[in-house]
Amino acid sequence: MHFDINQFIQQYGYLAVVIGCIAEGETFALLGGIMAHEKLLRYSGVVLAVMLGGFLGDQLLYYIGRRFGSRILRRFKKHQGKLKRANRLIRRYPVLFIIGVRFMYGFRIIGPIIIGASRLSPLKFMIFNAIGAFIWSLVFVTLGYFAGEMITPWLHRLDHHLKHLLWLAGAVVFVLLLRLAFRRWSRRNAD
């Protein structure tokens, strides 16, 4: 039995993009953009899937922050100054912080938790989280789409079977990097 990765992506691609963006957004948004360039998925569908995944992931983190935020944030002893500055920004510019948090390096995961812990209104967060997720999805999917213009001509020149091996190797490398990042994050938060 022959496994066709293109058919798999076409059949499960949007769901894979949504789930991927809940867990690790930028990578899946960029890959989704490349898939749209390859016409394996529709650009508008990828934008919506990325938006939905980013929105749901941040909503979940926000509610974790509302429920457990103070306990979680106390564990970041070395970063209390940064957390206080983030709280001041949330109080002073809540809309900009909600929309921009997904673009701030180092705040992608912890940002919505900080916002939830700040007791900002759930409705306000939901509205501006949706707007931020839309802007973010447009930016990263479009970047992936244009990156596809540079990457895909090279991939088309490869032998059909070699392309499958490269996709498999890329997936393995991605999983290993994800595990490494998770271990580092776990060790850092365990201290």
Side-chain angles (χ1 to χ4, degrees):
M1 183 173 179
H2 177 69
F3 178 74
D4 185 351
I5 196 164
N6 292 338
Q7 184 179 4
F8 179 76
I9 291 170
Q10 286 174 337
Q11 189 171 358
Y12 300 106
Y14 297 111
L15 180 60
V17 170
V18 170
I19 292 169
C21 285
I22 289 172
E24 206 308 300
E26 286 82 4
T27 303
F28 282 87
L30 291 168
L31 288 174
I34 292 170
M35 289 181 215
H37 180 268
E38 279 295 286
K39 307 230 183 312
L40 297 172
L41 300 171
R42 287 190 338 261
Y43 176 83
S44 60
V46 173
V47 169
L48 289 175
V50 167
M51 178 185 167
L52 180 62
F55 173 80
L56 291 174
D58 282 8
Q59 284 297 130
L60 176 65
L61 292 169
Y62 168 81
Y63 282 110
I64 288 171
R66 280 190 65 89
R67 178 73 173 99
F68 305 106
S70 57
R71 274 191 273 171
I72 293 170
L73 297 176
R74 275 196 299 267
R75 298 183 87 190
F76 293 95
K77 291 178 175 84
K78 296 177 187 174
H79 303 286
Q80 290 304 311
K82 291 178 185 175
L83 294 173
K84 286 178 184 175
R85 277 188 301 235
N87 272 312
R88 280 195 304 271
L89 286 172
I90 291 167
R91 282 192 298 278
R92 196 175 284 161
Y93 310 104
V95 171
L96 290 177
F97 196 87
I98 295 167
I99 291 173
V101 73
R102 60 184 19 99
F103 295 99
M104 294 181 209
Y105 180 76
F107 275 89
R108 180 74 184 95
I109 302 295
I110 196 72
I113 294 173
I114 296 169
I115 296 168
S118 76
R119 311 310 284 173
L120 187 77
S121 155
L123 180 61
K124 187 172 199 170
F125 180 78
M126 184 177 72
I127 291 168
F128 292 105
N129 181 31
I131 293 168
F134 177 70
I135 294 167
W136 174 78
S137 67
L138 273 178
V139 168
F140 280 93
V141 172
T142 302
L143 286 172
Y145 187 89
F146 287 117
E149 284 188 30
M150 295 180 289
I151 294 169
T152 55
W154 178 75
L155 288 176
H156 284 304
R157 285 186 226 119
L158 293 175
D159 179 60
H160 182 73
H161 297 290
L162 184 57
K163 188 191 315 186
H164 292 301
L165 290 175
L166 284 175
W167 277 109
L168 178 62
V172 169
V173 167
F174 174 74
V175 168
L176 292 174
L177 289 173
L178 196 59
R179 284 183 64 192
L180 178 65
F182 181 75
R183 282 184 185 164
R184 284 185 179 176
W185 179 80
S186 295
R187 270 191 240 128
R188 210 173 332 136
N189 289 326
D191 295 340

